[in-house]
Amino acid sequence: MTESLAITKLSDLANPTRFMALVGRLVPWLAAVTALLFAIGLYLSFTTEGDYQQGDTVRIMYVHVPAAWLAMMCYTVMALSAVGTLVWRHPLADVSHKAAAPLGAAFTLLALITGSLWGKPMWGTWWTWGDARLTSVFVLFLMYLGLIALNRAIDDPSRAARVSAVLILVGFVNIPIIKFSVEWWNTLHQKSSVLRLDGPTIDPEFLRPLLVMALAFTLLFFTLHLAAMRNEILRRRVAAQRRMAARMASRQDAA
Amino acid sequence: MNYAFYVLTSYGVAAAMTLCLIAWVWLDGRARRRELAELEASGIRRRSFQPKTEPAPPSNGRETKA
């Protein structure tokens, strides 16, 4: 390869080889910053004060809220990638939403488990189907699992990408439902206290560790997503080269 | 610490899940790299990495991406 791998304009990212070079440079730095933020975030999570009513269970918030935030952000990243697949037929967009689905499923499951572990001591129940927030997040988890299954069921990667892109965009309707479920319906789950038009209503003592942990989790997601996209590109190269090897072998047999 | 079981289990599950994700992505990347190296060792190269002097294999019109 003699041509430069430098990315000078956004469209250069369309070249998977250039993308791979960029990921190779970015991932170690992102991983280092993520680890540093987790160290600070975990220190703050366990050294700041507990809540006067909830006691130390408020510390569950520092993993529960970032996990829930990532569950929705990951789906939004997938929806944007799905637009890239359907409108521009961009192979990197296909790779992006395929690589993001297992990460989204993991963070959604984490939000559900930590929410349950917070609900039991504070609400007196692990789970209730009558709560719109809980149920809509559970539906999001099922959608992630469905998308993973769909991607695995279709062999042709570009066909799998188009079918899942349509499904992702249809399912995106669930994201505003999750966000506003606590406003639209009566729920056990509390209303928003951080992302509000009139500013956060949460005490700075809790807001500081929460924001550091949210940033750490967000960077963790992007580090893993970029690395998983690189893995998916490698997987497709392996498949393409195996097909080429099979063609060469059959040509030799015929000769 | 009050409610220590609920707090520590939450952090334990979060740590376990994060470590599993990191291990999965890392091991997956390592396995794919090994497969590519094996293909390369057996003489199968990406078309773009083949020397220019070598005649390219005739295309059957089914180009693969990525």
Side-chain angles (χ1 to χ4, degrees):
Chain A
M1 286 294 278
T2 47
E3 64 175 316
S4 162
L5 288 176
I7 290 172
T8 49
K9 52 184 187 295
L10 201 62
S11 59
D12 285 348
L13 278 172
N15 178 333
T17 304
R18 286 205 175 110
F19 175 81
M20 298 285 269
L22 177 75
V23 170
R25 275 202 303 271
L26 264 181
V27 163
W29 288 100
L30 276 173
V33 178
T34 306
L36 182 70
L37 281 170
F38 266 117
I40 300 171
L42 285 171
Y43 173 77
L44 288 176
S45 299
F46 283 97
T47 50
T48 46
E49 279 178 43
D51 185 65
Y52 83 104
Q53 267 187 327
Q54 300 199 36
D56 284 313
T57 56
V58 75
R59 302 189 199 285
I60 297 175
M61 174 173 72
Y62 308 137
V63 286
H64 171 73
V65 172
W69 145 246
L70 275 193
M72 292 199 284
M73 191 195 69
C74 179
Y75 202 89
T76 309
V77 167
M78 286 168 66
L80 291 174
S81 307
V83 173
T85 292
L86 293 176
V87 177
W88 294 289
R89 299 273 165 114
H90 201 310
L92 273 180
D94 302 1
V95 168
S96 168
H97 62 74
K98 188 180 177 193
L103 302 176
F107 287 115
T108 312
L109 182 62
L110 181 59
L112 289 170
I113 294 174
T114 51
S116 223
L117 283 162
W118 198 3
K120 181 64 185 166
M122 290 301 109
W123 301 338
T125 179
W126 299 101
W127 184 263
T128 165
W129 289 108
D131 188 293
R133 173 57 72 84
L134 273 59
T135 312
S136 54
V137 173
F138 186 71
V139 169
L140 179 68
F141 179 61
L142 293 182
M143 278 177 359
Y144 277 125
L145 295 189
L147 285 164
I148 295 169
L150 185 71
N151 258 314
R152 282 171 183 254
I154 304 176
D155 281 334
D156 175 12
S158 60
R159 192 161 163 262
R162 282 200 306 276
V163 176
S164 20
V166 173
L167 198 62
I168 290 168
L169 290 179
V170 171
F172 190 70
V173 71
N174 194 26
I175 295 299
I177 292 179
I178 293 175
K179 168 76 185 148
F180 297 110
S181 56
V182 286
E183 318 283 338
W184 293 341
W185 293 287
N186 247 331
T187 50
L188 266 181
H189 196 285
Q190 65 147 59
K191 293 192 180 357
S192 303
S193 51
V194 179
L195 289 174
R196 292 168 59 100
L197 289 176
D198 53 354
T201 52
I202 181 173
D203 193 273
E205 181 75 6
F206 307 136
L207 189 59
R208 260 182 285 122
L210 179 59
L211 288 183
V212 176
M213 287 296 271
L215 195 59
F217 268 99
T218 307
L219 284 184
L220 173 71
F221 169 76
F222 282 114
T223 312
L224 289 172
H225 186 216
L226 285 176
M229 280 178 75
R230 177 169 60 182
N231 292 348
E232 182 58 30
I233 293 172
L234 289 174
R235 196 183 335 275
R236 289 175 188 203
R237 284 187 179 170
V238 168
Q241 270 161 266
R242 285 206 173 130
R243 274 198 299 274
M244 202 165 84
R247 276 205 299 274
M248 279 162 63
S250 66
R251 208 173 299 133
Q252 274 163 6
D253 285 349
Chain B
M1 183 188 282
N2 47 27
Y3 303 110
F5 167 75
Y6 298 102
V7 177
L8 297 179
T9 312
S10 294
Y11 280 81
V13 171
M17 203 161 282
T18 307
L19 291 177
C20 281
L21 280 179
I22 293 171
W24 167 63
V25 169
W26 186 62
L27 292 175
D28 187 31
R30 211 173 60 158
R32 299 295 81 78
R33 249 177 265 276
R34 194 183 304 133
E35 282 174 353
L36 269 183
E38 278 166 11
L39 282 163
E40 190 109 341
S42 63
I44 314 290
R45 280 155 182 271
R46 295 184 68 209
R47 228 162 282 168
S48 49
F49 282 101
Q50 285 170 356
K52 292 275 185 275
T53 48
E54 200 177 290
S59 166
N60 63 357
R62 281 197 299 165
E63 298 297 323
T64 47
K65 37 182 173 173

